[in-house]
Amino acid sequence: MTTVITRDNFGLIAGPCTVEGREQLLETARGVRDAGASVLRGGAYKPRTSPYSFQGLGVEGLRLLQEAKEETGLPVVTEVMDARDLEYVAEVADMVQIGSRNMQNYTLLSEVGRMGIPVLLKRGLAATLDELVSSAEYVLKEGNRDVILCERGIRTFETSYRFTLDLLAIPALRELTDLPVIVDPSHAAGRRDWVLPMSLAAAAAGADGILVEVHPEPDRAICDGAQSLALTDFADYADRVRRAAEMAGKEVSATA
Ligand code: PEP
Ligand code: MN
């Protein structure tokens, strides 16, 4: 995976927050592929604040991700929350996401380290950069060098948006480690109209990629619809973000 998104190569990871069904996923996968995304995202196991919220389609979601991957040729990243699911997730995923809430789940980190599968590690909601790097070390220590770090917003006193996007994490992490650093503006903003400006800022600041939520019908999304870009807007969004990355001196990769 770190051949698609590297310190030199900028890439877009795009897709729905959660896999909801076949049409939703395949339509999104084709759309983001055609607009030049490098990787398809989609959650089959979802970490939800409330245990009564939709928790993801689980193995059925993985099966749909496999289908989307076969049809589009896009590599897939999906979250794993429990080491007991890892075997099934790794059969489909080209990269596993360790979500913010699991950033300090050290047994899970060691396990994905031993498995040798590429890892997308998201910063915890209240984690320092040193703590994020230490978590990455758990994976690296097992001999797995394929780790991408992701800034996704942290909790501060500010309540006007979902989380505070910490853009200084980009140059700071690039100094602290040699791992690629990407940004997820969707979960920080919580609102789709704030996703483009934060993506441009992140790309201009030297991010190695952007992870962004996209949905064919955001207003009907089961999860995170308010922050999801409409699929019809994605091609224009992707063009503009790639131009910002180029301005920052990046090579821009696109599978399409
Ligand atoms: C996600 O990427 O869908 C997600 C739940 O992210 P985070 O762990 O950053 O909240
Ligand atoms: Mn989400």
Side-chain angles (χ1 to χ4, degrees):
M1 188 56 56
T2 39
T3 55
V4 184
I5 294 174
T6 69
R7 276 295 181 98
D8 305 312
N9 226 317
F10 179 92
L12 285 168
I13 302 176
C17 179
T18 184
V19 178
E20 297 172 12
R22 189 166 182 274
E23 267 321 297
Q24 173 246 15
L25 185 66
L26 291 183
E27 189 183 344
T28 311
R30 286 183 211 114
V32 300
R33 191 258 333 260
D34 293 348
S38 309
V39 182
L40 174 68
R41 66 150 281 148
Y45 297 91
K46 294 303 300 176
R48 303 303 300 279
T49 302
S50 167
Y52 307 111
S53 300
F54 177 69
Q55 303 285 309
L57 290 179
V59 285
E60 173 62 9
L62 294 176
R63 199 190 62 70
L64 293 172
L65 284 166
Q66 176 70 39
E67 196 178 336
K69 174 171 148 164
E70 280 165 15
E71 196 186 306
T72 60
L74 283 180
V76 159
V77 60
T78 195
E79 179 159 356
V80 65
M81 296 201 297
D82 187 321
R84 288 171 293 188
D85 301 322
L86 197 47
E87 196 185 323
Y88 306 105
V89 171
E91 276 174 25
V92 175
D94 298 280
M95 174 162 67
V96 292
Q97 175 170 317
I98 305 287
S100 300
R101 290 154 192 84
N102 267 318
M103 187 203 87
Q104 286 176 315
N105 184 337
Y106 300 124
T107 51
L108 184 58
L109 292 167
S110 299
E111 199 60 38
V112 296
R114 279 191 287 276
M115 192 161 237
I117 186 163
V119 177
L120 170 54
L121 178 60
K122 298 188 85 173
R123 182 180 183 182
L125 317 186
T128 66
L129 297 184
D130 278 338
E131 287 164 341
L132 173 59
V133 171
S134 286
S135 289
E137 292 287 343
Y138 273 87
V139 181
L140 304 176
K141 180 171 178 280
E142 302 300 330
N144 183 352
R145 302 288 317 165
D146 226 339
V147 181
I148 294 176
L149 303 176
C150 181
E151 160 61 30
R152 46 78 72 207
I154 50 174
R155 183 146 284 162
T156 68
F157 53 80
E158 184 53 70
T159 54
S160 304
Y161 18 81
R162 213 173 159 188
F163 295 94
T164 298
L165 191 64
D166 179 13
L167 290 176
L168 273 171
I170 303 162
L173 284 171
R174 287 172 64 86
E175 201 172 284
L176 281 172
T177 79
D178 59 3
L179 300 171
V181 178
I182 70 167
V183 169
D184 164 5
S186 305
H187 289 89
R191 251 175 63 173
R192 94 180 50 103
D193 55 333
W194 286 343
V195 169
L196 174 66
M198 289 303 96
S199 302
L200 294 175
D208 301 305
I210 303 282
L211 178 140
V212 63
E213 289 187 339
V214 183
H215 195 285
E217 290 178 283
D219 294 335
R220 301 178 67 164
I222 294 178
C223 186
D224 286 349
Q227 69 197 32
S228 298
L229 299 181
L231 184 56
T232 46
D233 294 334
F234 182 73
D236 179 56
Y237 163 88
D239 272 346
R240 295 170 74 171
V241 175
R242 277 192 292 259
R243 274 188 274 145
E246 278 164 359
M247 264 180 8
K250 300 280 179 188
E251 290 292 319
V252 173
S253 73
T255 49

